[in-house]
Amino acid sequence: MVDREKAMNKVLSSGPQEHERKVTQLQEELRAATKSRKGLLNELGALVAERLVVQWNTEHPKMLIHHRDDPQTEVLEAIGQAVLAQCPEARILLTAPANPPPFPADQPVGGSFYLLAGPQGSEWVQRAGSKIAEVMGGRGGGRGPRYQGKVQDIRQRVAILGALEAAGL
């Protein structure tokens, strides 16, 4: 018991009488940092979305594809929402690994995340989402303009456009 108290004193930089106040202070700081982080991730998503909207409007690609090397699915969700808000007819594939790089060249990158978004009321999202899960060795689901899932190897995303074209999507 004494060893644990000494350890807590050292970690919290205070005596036992201050532990409750210090823990409460740390909890408040964590809440504030979490709220700030969420706002920054949404802001980052909006900035990336602006770039993708410009690309959609100038180049008119069949699909926008964006990959992030950091495993922040919140950013992908913010990007998808922001792009569809400005370009409801856009088709977007967003990907991120479950773990940050570097990836071993000879091993699959398991558990990676993808988000597919497209026009509201279109069957394209569901059909294309299923095809992407098949091509990339994963599973997923969704409704409306969004389809998301996990795949075994995110590096297969380059094969997606060809597979969708071959399937008539």
Side-chain angles (χ1 to χ4, degrees):
M1 186 74 157
V2 173
D3 290 339
R4 187 179 328 174
E5 187 173 306
K6 285 181 183 178
M8 291 298 292
N9 290 347
K10 186 175 181 181
V11 169
L12 295 174
S13 301
S14 67
Q17 65 279 9
E18 294 290 315
H19 286 183
E20 183 179 350
R21 184 185 65 75
K22 284 285 201 172
V23 169
T24 301
Q25 178 185 358
L26 288 170
Q27 287 175 327
E28 289 171 3
E29 290 172 2
L30 178 61
R31 270 192 286 275
T34 301
K35 185 176 180 179
S36 176
R37 177 184 172 273
K38 185 176 180 179
L40 290 171
L41 290 176
N42 284 333
E43 188 175 330
L44 175 62
L47 290 171
V48 172
E50 282 181 31
R51 186 175 52 90
L52 291 173
V53 166
V54 168
Q55 181 183 355
W56 180 262
N57 290 329
T58 57
E59 298 174 17
H60 307 290
K62 291 183 178 183
M63 182 187 313
L64 294 169
I65 298 177
H66 180 75
H67 175 75
R68 293 198 50 84
D69 278 337
D70 60 344
Q72 300 293 329
T73 58
E74 299 97 332
V75 175
L76 297 185
E77 291 169 3
I79 293 169
Q81 288 175 357
V83 170
L84 286 181
Q86 294 179 43
C87 298
E89 72 286 353
R91 295 175 176 188
I92 316 149
L93 174 64
L94 306 168
T95 61
N99 300 306
F103 308 126
D106 59 340
Q107 297 175 8
V109 183
S112 299
F113 179 80
Y114 75 96
L115 173 69
L116 181 70
Q120 180 73 32
S122 169
E123 289 182 21
W124 178 85
V125 173
Q126 300 304 314
R127 292 191 338 230
S130 297
K131 187 66 176 176
I132 289 170
E134 177 186 322
V135 169
M136 294 174 69
R139 59 186 172 86
R143 66 181 107 154
R146 292 174 40 134
Y147 190 100
Q148 62 187 31
K150 287 196 173 192
V151 294
Q152 290 302 312
D153 195 350
I154 202 71
R155 293 175 292 193
Q156 297 299 322
R157 68 184 177 278
V158 294
I160 291 172
L161 283 176
L164 290 177
E165 285 180 12
L169 301 170

